[in-house]
Amino acid sequence: MYIVGEIVTGIGAIFLFLGSLGILRLPDVYNRLQAGTKCTTLGAFLTTLGVGIMEPAWFWKTLLIALFIMATNPISSHALGRASCKSNVPLWDKSVVDKTKDFEECRKVEEA
Amino acid sequence: MSVFTVYLIIIILGVILCLIRMLKGPGAPDRVVAVDTAATVTTALLVLLGFLFKRYVYLDVSLVYALLTFIGTVAIARYLERGI
């Protein structure tokens, strides 16, 4: 069981590193959100759960942390993407498709 | 040198890459994305450190850190969207 935990934690650490590398290397806010959300969510999930597997007394609390990260990380990334779309951050010039041009109300900032 | 030292080095290298992007980033959204990612990586790092030091308290620290990061990121996103 300990070996399984070590392997799961290692895969999670590699995913975390790849997500951070994507943050540094990708050209655009939206591309960076892609890397920073998907890789980091899976990496944090696997790392936390691997620690829970290695230490069975801690399993439920690590599961709670992992589920919390899985629930909140996409929400905050979606809020960031929405905010940068509405404050007119431009796309990368080699990006192909932009669906928000078809729906004008996506671009509009609603008044509070 | 156990295998966990290698994991710690990999994860800390990830945090450093995020901080480089935070220093370089052209606009405010780039920096916020970098800080958000660095905070999520730090949450996992705290859990791993708690396992290495055999401290149960670090799990609580990690949970509270994840909560505060979520609230802060959503608040900054709302601010960028229309200005509070």
Side-chain angles (χ1 to χ4, degrees), chain B residues 1-2 10 16-18 26 30 34-35 42-44 47 49-50 54 57 59 65 72 77 80-81 84:
Chain B
M1 184 163 150
S2 74
I10 290 176
I16 290 174
L17 292 183
C18 286
D30 304 87
V35 171
T42 311
T43 309
V47 176
L49 277 180
K54 303 292 177 204
V57 188
L59 294 187
Y65 193 71
L80 286 178
E81 191 174 322
I84 292 174

Side-chain angles (χ1 to χ4, degrees), chain A residues 6 24 32 55 61 82, chain B residues 7 21 30 51 60 81:
Chain A
E6 272 186 355
L24 183 63
R32 271 179 226 141
E55 194 93 10
K61 194 149 212 172
R82 189 168 177 263
Chain B
Y7 295 167
R21 171 51 72 188
D30 304 87
F51 174 71
D60 296 326
E81 191 174 322

